[in-house]
Amino acid sequence: MTTPQRIALQAYWWPAAARAQGWPVGDRTLRLRVCAWAVSLPNPTQHELLAAINSEATPDRPLESTNDLYNRGDVDRVKACLGMLADLMRETGEVGQPQIGRARRLRNVIRDQIKCLALYHPKPRAYVAAIIDDKFNSWRKYGPPVTIKDLTDDPIIRTDKKTGNVRELPSQLDQLLMRVAAVVNQKRNENVLLPAYAQLQDTEPLTIHEMKLTAGVFCDCAFCNRQRARGKMPLLPPLPVEEDWRDFDPELEPVADADPELGSGVSDEGKNPF
């Protein structure tokens, strides 16, 4: 569990749940028991969660401290359950739905990729909108165009018609992230910065570290992580409660203006395989 996540849990998520349930906010033992049941029950209702908390049973995953929350998935489950206990509608809807929290994080990474792309391309949002249009709209016959708001982290299961074998494919957001990351890396290797960054133009491309710092996005390279451990760089900030969809909105920059090299599609790799 990261420091920002721990602060959010202790300062916001837990106090809201405790006040709604009439629990003492300062009861550490109770807080850990509630969190333990949140990560032990796969998809509880509020009644089931409260029954478990008030029972004599021991959760499958007892916690000595919040450091025992292993990963972002654990934190998502705790946040959702505490939100449900606080009677918050949006968080309640995310209980038992880990893909929702992961989708937010994937979109946040795509935001960072757009900022990196902006070092090399004058219309980065339109470029990404064109990728979405090519991958997820070109094969649709009916309905409104798909935008990033419609893309999910839900698993995609396909059955081979010839063999009957079932396979799981990357989610829509995973597909988009992989494609955008490939575009950014291609542009970085081509080493043609926009005029606004001409002072950084050199015979060698920017490193990934240099690119991310120039774009103002979080860098998780070994050097930055060492600096962060020494308190010399900021920690990763928590995701905002409400996402800023303007980062993605295709209507802000028409898809047709994205880039002449896109043509009627981004590339053969960008074609939707389904």
Side-chain angles (χ1 to χ4, degrees):
M1 190 176 199
T2 67
T3 298
Q5 289 169 339
R6 188 177 297 105
I7 291 172
L9 188 156
Q10 296 181 0
Y12 303 107
W13 309 341
W14 166 250
R19 284 192 290 267
Q21 298 299 326
W23 295 332
V25 174
D27 191 333
R28 179 179 182 273
T29 301
L30 177 60
R31 183 178 76 239
L32 290 175
R33 180 171 176 80
V34 171
C35 292
W37 277 112
V39 295
S40 296
L41 297 173
N43 187 18
T45 64
Q46 188 181 89
H47 175 75
E48 290 168 342
L49 180 58
L50 287 171
I53 293 166
N54 294 322
S55 72
E56 298 296 324
T58 300
D60 292 340
R61 293 233 350 241
L63 303 177
E64 295 294 328
S65 78
T66 51
N67 289 329
D68 294 338
L69 298 173
Y70 300 141
N71 51 43
R72 290 170 175 171
D74 281 353
V75 175
D76 282 348
R77 293 169 72 178
V78 167
K79 180 182 178 183
C81 284
L82 291 178
M84 178 172 66
L85 292 172
D87 295 323
L88 301 177
M89 184 176 298
R90 185 174 71 86
E91 283 77 2
T92 299
E94 295 188 15
V95 173
Q97 303 292 325
Q99 72 275 15
I100 297 177
R102 186 171 185 270
R104 273 198 301 271
R105 287 191 292 276
L106 288 174
R107 287 192 295 269
N108 207 49
V109 175
I110 294 169
R111 282 187 178 87
D112 285 353
Q113 294 286 0
I114 289 173
K115 292 175 183 177
C116 291
L117 184 58
L119 304 181
Y120 306 97
H121 194 284
K123 293 183 179 292
R125 288 178 298 186
Y127 197 110
V128 173
I131 293 174
I132 295 171
D133 185 65
D134 185 80
K135 283 185 68 66
F136 303 106
N137 285 326
S138 61
W139 59 283
R140 288 167 63 89
K141 295 181 180 179
Y142 308 104
V146 170
T147 71
I148 198 167
K149 294 181 182 181
D150 305 304
L151 304 184
T152 72
D153 186 48
D154 296 336
I156 297 174
I157 308 298
R158 290 289 182 268
T159 301
D160 189 293
K161 294 181 179 179
K162 294 182 179 179
T163 66
N165 293 332
V166 177
R167 60 180 180 142
E168 183 174 333
L169 301 171
S171 71
Q172 293 173 324
L173 283 170
D174 276 314
Q175 291 181 47
L176 177 61
L177 176 57
M178 288 186 285
R179 179 61 187 141
V180 174
V183 168
V184 170
N185 199 49
Q186 176 187 337
K187 296 288 186 183
R188 185 181 68 82
N189 287 327
E190 289 172 356
N191 193 27
V192 181
L193 291 161
L194 291 178
Y197 304 98
Q199 73 276 12
L200 301 175
Q201 186 71 61
D202 201 347
T203 55
E204 294 295 322
L206 295 176
T207 65
I208 294 175
H209 167 79
E210 292 168 338
M211 177 184 71
K212 288 186 174 182
L213 291 190
T214 303
V217 304
F218 184 81
C219 180
D220 61 352
C221 72
F223 172 79
C224 286
N225 283 332
R226 286 195 298 271
Q227 293 295 94
R228 213 166 277 118
R230 297 167 184 162
K232 296 182 179 181
M233 290 187 72
L235 297 169
L236 177 65
L239 294 182
V241 175
E242 297 296 334
E243 293 189 81
D244 187 355
W245 291 104
R246 292 175 301 175
D247 291 344
F248 303 118
D249 198 342
E251 284 73 26
L252 291 181
E253 298 179 86
V255 171
D257 295 340
D259 198 319
E261 72 187 59
L262 292 177
S264 59
V266 177
S267 71
D268 290 340
E269 291 184 59
K271 295 297 184 182
N272 193 305
F274 313 128

